[in-house]
Amino acid sequence: MADQKFTETLYQGWQADYRCDEVYFDSATDHQRLVIFKNPIFGRMMMLDGVTQTTEADEFIYHEMLAHVPILAHGDAKKVLIIGGGDGGMLREVLRHTSVELCTMVEIDPSVVELSKQYLPNHSAGAFDDPRTHLVFDDGAAFVKNPPHTYDVMIVDSTDPIGPGEVLFQDTFYANARRCLNPGGILVTQNGVPFMQPDELKNTVTHLKHLFADASCYLATIPTYVGGPMAMGWATDNAELRHIDLDVLDARFKSAEIKTRYYAPAVHKAAFALPGYVSDNVG
Ligand code: SAM
């Protein structure tokens, strides 16, 4: 088994091989090819259509930064919407906030949820059984056309704009997403690695700037999303929220009583300090 490997195929002209020590699942679901296997460095990891989604070793960075930055910036998030997020890691982090009363998670592929529960149990860590969880199996692009609630924070934890994820990067989706938000609500998006996928980020932020008073991105470095820091799209009609004071974040993080391994208020603030090659891209 040691000579088996899975290749990261997201980028034309660049591949990476992950050694596979054990395969837990490798088959096509109704929506995508799903593989869960064990790598000696990153632990159990999932690929969808040949693209690395999440690993036991570094998932905490991505999930902490895409969940706690908007929730702590908002300050009073009671209803949260996750689009995608099938592995359950985002749901786990959102529900660590006792202020959250409802978290709706809209995942297109039930197999991702079922297999993640089985082979990546530490990702959801029981979050799917939390009474605040409202799990919907649907296309996120369809759900936002007629949502049952409006939300304070919306997190697009999707795949890249290929296959089922493609619709989640289009202007109609963003326009409908905006209508899912309460006044002063915040939308954040998984937006790829800007050094490797500059057009993906530019496309999203350009759409968001047309729809919201304030749109930009923030950065976090996740080892298995290769090519430098990953961008997380940011949009809200309350432009002050992107520049929230450190002492306010400190107080909110302290009262949230959440133990993290990457997120911290100072890291939150620093994440919005964009290097030129990114700020030039988002304008
Ligand atoms: N952390 C990963 C990343 O940054 O690429 C995302 C992980 S999560 C597994 C991505 C999820 O988005 C998958 O479970 C996939 O099935 C789901 N997804 C893709 N397109 C979707 C759509 N149109 N509606 C809802 N969920 C979708």
Side-chain angles (χ1 to χ4, degrees):
M1 184 68 81
D3 58 358
Q4 187 176 3
K5 62 188 181 193
F6 286 97
T7 302
E8 168 67 71
T9 59
L10 179 57
Y11 304 115
Q12 301 300 321
W14 188 98
Q15 271 89 34
D17 288 340
Y18 288 98
R19 195 181 93 187
C20 170
D21 290 346
E22 186 173 357
V23 179
Y24 302 101
F25 184 86
D26 180 4
S27 181
T29 72
D30 291 342
H31 298 274
Q32 47 213 337
R33 181 180 170 208
L34 194 158
V35 180
I36 301 178
F37 65 97
K38 184 174 183 180
N39 171 268
I41 296 174
F42 294 104
R44 295 187 178 197
M45 58 188 285
M46 180 199 297
M47 283 186 157
L48 289 174
D49 288 338
V51 179
T52 305
Q53 297 300 309
T54 189
T55 83
E56 284 182 320
D58 67 4
E59 59 89 5
F60 70 97
I61 304 171
Y62 171 81
H63 292 124
E64 287 181 16
M65 287 301 283
L66 206 53
H68 303 320
V69 167
I71 290 174
L72 291 172
H74 183 282
D76 187 27
K78 293 187 174 58
K79 288 192 175 67
V80 176
L81 173 61
I82 298 170
I83 303 294
D87 53 79
M90 199 63 68
L91 184 63
R92 176 199 74 214
E93 287 303 309
V94 167
L95 292 176
R96 293 174 73 190
H97 293 268
T98 52
S99 59
V100 170
E101 296 166 357
L102 167 76
C103 186
T104 299
M105 179 179 138
V106 184
E107 165 59 52
I108 198 167
D109 192 339
S111 301
V112 176
V113 171
E114 291 318 312
L115 291 159
S116 296
K117 280 184 190 174
Q118 187 174 358
Y119 297 116
L120 295 169
N122 298 329
H123 272 62
S124 53
F128 288 116
D129 301 323
D130 189 303
R132 296 172 292 166
T133 296
H134 167 221
L135 180 58
V136 176
F137 292 125
D138 193 3
D139 181 338
F143 179 88
V144 294
K145 287 177 184 167
N146 185 23
H149 305 283
T150 51
Y151 298 88
D152 302 304
V153 166
M154 180 173 174
I155 301 170
V156 184
D157 176 16
S158 71
T159 45
D160 288 280
I162 44 179
E166 197 165 359
V167 289
L168 303 180
F169 292 81
Q170 292 170 357
D171 55 353
T172 45
F173 170 73
Y174 294 129
N176 288 325
R178 188 180 187 288
R179 283 200 295 277
C180 293
L181 288 172
N182 291 323
I186 301 172
L187 167 69
V188 291
T189 61
Q190 181 286 102
N191 243 118
V193 176
F195 189 85
M196 305 289 274
Q197 305 158 285
D199 293 344
E200 180 181 312
L201 177 63
K202 189 177 187 68
N203 169 62
T204 294
V205 177
T206 301
H207 286 317
L208 295 179
K209 280 181 184 284
H210 289 144
L211 292 164
F212 291 87
D214 183 47
S216 183
C217 72
Y218 59 102
L219 302 176
T221 300
I222 297 102
T224 47
Y225 301 153
V226 296
M230 161 183 254
M232 297 168 173
W234 170 274
T236 176
D237 283 335
N238 182 347
E240 292 175 9
L241 295 181
R242 180 154 54 106
H243 309 289
I244 197 147
D245 287 343
L246 180 58
D247 56 7
V248 171
L249 288 175
D250 276 333
R252 289 177 181 171
F253 184 56
K254 192 160 180 262
S255 63
E257 294 182 345
I258 291 173
K259 186 161 174 11
T260 54
R261 296 170 58 207
Y262 189 94
Y263 179 90
V267 171
H268 176 147
K269 291 289 289 179
F272 284 93
L274 304 180
Y277 82 94
V278 178
S279 57
D280 291 347
N281 190 12
V282 296

